[in-house]
Amino acid sequence: MVSWCDENGHTLSAEKSKCVHFCRKRSIHADSILSIRNDAIPIVDEIRFLGVIFDRKLTFLPHILQLRKKCEKSLNILKVLSCTSWGADRTSLLRIYQAAVLSRIDNGCLVYGSARSAALRRLDTVHHSALRICSGAFRTSPVESLYTICHQLPLHLRRKKLSMQYYFRSLSLPQHPISHMTLPATLRRNARPSHILPFCERVKSMIQDSELNFSDIQTVDLQIFPPWNIPQFSF
């Protein structure tokens, strides 16, 4: 990588670089030593990439815990604006919740959605608290009634919806990286029950469980007319 950067005019900084060894081995094994011009790259247990924290075991538990802490701080905005004498109405509170809190939960849910269900349920408390604040319901109100009153989906169904939308959008683009990605049958047959399937295989199981039949998806080739080849029209 360093030689390629030297040939193409790029530079890599060892101080700004970090290395994560993604591995599920339980036995003790040494990490690899990587260096940039004899400067060792520090090896860390977790790293943030595009707003998502990737840990060594790919459990995404550090990301979920930090996301929950940020969302709980953002709920203070709803608590202040939900005053009964001068506060905002239900519609305004729901819009603020979708913009300030729910957008953070949706960001990267396609990636951290492969975490254990016990870890993902930590975000449900934030979702339920926000709906109770927006609707003015009691603490003892059933969660199903909150979903109906506020016209919101549970988080596990919302993650499925966003995953399926992204999957169908990728299938409509022939040059998308995951449009032709499939898991070999040997890996699927020899996998343990706790093995986490790739994104495409998880979405296919969601579609099969939902009994949705999408035999043909219309493809859209965005590179048929490049901008520099569009003819000029005169009127």
Side-chain angles (χ1 to χ4, degrees):
M1 291 177 60
V2 175
S3 60
W4 183 89
C5 291
D6 293 338
E7 294 176 358
N8 294 273
H10 296 275
T11 57
L12 294 176
S13 175
E15 298 178 354
K16 299 180 180 179
S17 303
K18 294 181 181 179
C19 176
V20 180
H21 181 198
F22 297 104
C23 182
R24 293 184 179 272
K25 289 184 178 181
R26 296 184 179 180
S27 59
I28 299 177
H29 56 284
D31 297 327
S32 303
I33 299 176
L34 302 177
S35 60
I36 299 177
R37 301 187 188 279
N38 298 326
D39 295 332
I41 302 176
I43 299 177
V44 295
D45 293 334
E46 57 188 39
I47 191 171
R48 179 185 294 273
F49 182 72
L50 296 178
V52 180
I53 299 177
F54 293 85
D55 57 299
R56 179 174 296 212
K57 300 293 184 180
L58 289 178
T59 60
F60 296 103
L61 184 59
H63 175 75
I64 293 175
L65 294 178
Q66 187 172 4
L67 178 61
R68 177 181 175 180
K69 186 182 298 183
K70 289 184 178 180
C71 292
E72 287 177 348
K73 291 182 180 179
S74 300
L75 286 182
N76 295 329
I77 302 175
L78 298 178
K79 293 178 182 178
V80 173
L81 297 177
S82 62
C83 183
T84 56
S85 59
W86 56 269
D89 57 351
R90 181 188 304 173
T91 304
S92 301
L93 290 175
L94 286 174
R95 289 177 180 175
I96 296 172
Y97 167 63
Q98 292 177 358
V101 182
L102 196 57
S103 59
R104 289 184 175 180
I105 298 177
D106 293 342
N107 183 28
C109 67
L110 311 178
V111 180
Y112 73 82
S114 61
R116 301 191 311 270
S117 58
L120 294 173
R121 280 196 296 267
R122 296 173 182 263
L123 299 175
D124 292 343
T125 57
V126 179
H127 188 51
H128 299 162
S129 300
L131 295 182
R132 285 191 174 91
I133 294 173
C134 295
S135 61
F138 295 102
R139 288 179 175 270
T140 57
S141 301
V143 180
E144 289 76 11
S145 62
L146 296 178
Y147 295 147
T148 305
I149 293 173
C150 299
H151 303 284
Q152 293 291 331
L153 289 174
L155 290 183
H156 69 278
L157 294 180
R158 188 175 181 88
R159 284 190 294 267
K160 288 183 179 181
K161 174 187 174 183
L162 295 176
S163 300
M164 294 172 67
Q165 286 180 350
Y166 179 78
Y167 178 70
F168 290 133
R169 194 182 306 118
S170 64
L171 292 181
S172 64
L173 301 175
Q175 298 181 356
H176 199 277
I178 69 172
S179 59
H180 304 286
M181 188 178 298
T182 57
L183 185 67
T186 56
L187 295 178
R188 193 181 312 166
R189 182 171 56 251
N190 300 328
R192 294 176 295 178
S194 60
H195 179 67
I196 299 176
L197 296 175
F199 173 76
C200 297
E201 299 299 326
R202 296 201 310 269
V203 176
K204 289 178 182 178
S205 62
M206 294 177 190
I207 297 173
Q208 186 176 2
D209 296 339
S210 303
E211 297 181 357
L212 299 176
N213 185 15
F214 293 94
S215 58
D216 189 13
I217 298 177
Q218 184 178 1
T219 59
V220 179
D221 194 355
L222 300 178
Q223 298 183 357
I224 293 179
F225 298 103
W228 52 86
N229 289 337
I230 295 179
Q232 298 292 331
F233 297 97
S234 59
F235 299 92

